[in-house]
Amino acid sequence: MRKIKVAVIGCGTIANHAHIPSYMANDNAEIIYFCDIILERAEAAVKQYGCGIAIENYMTALQDPDIDAISVCTPNNCHSIITIDALRYGKHVLCEKPAARTYEEALEMQKAQAQYNKVLNIGVVNRFNSGVNKLKELIDSGELGDIYQVYVSFRSHRSIPGLGGAFTTKSIAGGGVLIDWGVHFLDIVMYCCGDPMPVTVSSEAFCELGKDLNSYTYKDMWAGPPKADGIYDVEDAITGIIRTKGPIITFNGAWAQNIGKNEMYIDFMGTKAGIRLQYGADFIKYGSQNGMLTETLYTINSDNMFQNEIDAFIECIENNIKLPSHIDTTIITAKMMDAIYKSADLHQEMKL
Ligand SMILES: NC(=O)c1ccc[n+]([C@@H]2O[C@H](COP(=O)([O-])OP(=O)(O)OC[C@H]3O[C@@H](n4cnc5c(N)ncnc54)[C@H](O)[C@@H]3O)[C@@H](O)[C@H]2O)c1
């Protein structure tokens, strides 16, 4: 069988940690191009993985009729442009999360998907996590009763990424901790609760701890060293409430807060039982049986959700399957995040 021929656009962290190794491990996929505007990064990939051609301009890959699919692994400001160009050239697309910087951009992507009728999946990789899928199965089976409230905490003590760089510059990233981390957490909630339509949101956002770029003291700084002359105009903390046609969602998120330790979990509160999911790890089901309180620990032995995601992408191209990560489903989170940011700007509740 002919392999699916792939171009990876953007050869930075997520490409090297997830997309490239996963394509390499998939027998039905073959990477033909590594593309990065910093050509040395594409060249380094060619050398490291022993295949493909290094290119600087993604149009080279799009204009090659042999290419079937692309992974968009660039910063958020390029997601919609590259995705729409790729769809126009008849390529299937897996675009990293968030879909785009704004809901408007995500809508343009969705329109292009419908127009050119190629796959467009968003990198909401937790939908391919075995633990998350087990949790969803428990909710769907009714074991928790009705889920009436969900509490989401994606908070770190002091961990603003690459202060002054792409992650803290609104024109590049579209936002701060909500669009970067929150998107994964809200997506898990949406997925596990059956993608309930949001109705209203109310939120407040803060940009406090890192705003003096020179005096921010931190524990971790991933995504590069601080740039003292860079930009920091996104939120480092955010809180709010989302009413949906399903459960009420309340959330607290922070790249940096003076809280001592990181708190990365989601509580699903059901009428019969509840679950606390530690992000990327185990979960505990809290319930009761025969007059006794019960705690059941679910541990997932080993799981490579990125491999599952890439395998599913390749398979859905071959078999024309619509995945739960399709833009039609995941765009709801883009709409919700847009309303959350508007609510925080206007200090008022927004209707969706
Ligand atoms: N799913 C996840 O858990 C996860 C984790 C990390 C990052 N991400 C997402 O992946 C994306 C990239 O993040 P990263 O941490 O890998 O960033 P990164 O900065 O490490 O890598 C991005 C690369 O894209 C290149 N690039 C920029 N514009 C380009 C263009 N027009 N054409 C080709 N290459 C271009 C840059 O030179 C850089 O090498 C972001 O959208 C981020 O939100 C997702």
Side-chain angles (χ1 to χ4, degrees), residues 9-15 35-38 41 56 58 72-79 82 96-98 123 125 166-167 179-180 184 222-223 279 305-306 309:
I9 318 293
C11 297
T13 309
I14 196 67
C35 171
D36 203 294
I37 45 170
I38 302 171
R41 290 189 184 172
E56 217 168 353
Y58 69 87
V72 180
C73 298
T74 63
N76 304 349
N77 59 329
C78 307
H79 286 190
I82 298 176
E96 256 311 328
K97 65 79 199 165
V125 66
F167 281 89
I179 207 162
D180 185 34
H184 274 315
W222 47 280
Y279 184 77
M305 58 183 176
F306 286 105
E309 178 188 43

Side-chain angles (χ1 to χ4, degrees), residues 38-63:
I38 302 171
L39 187 61
E40 302 86 76
R41 290 189 184 172
E43 287 169 344
V46 170
K47 202 166 160 202
Q48 182 177 345
Y49 302 103
C51 64
I53 302 163
I55 55 170
E56 217 168 353
N57 185 337
Y58 69 87
M59 289 307 288
T60 308
L62 301 193
Q63 285 164 352

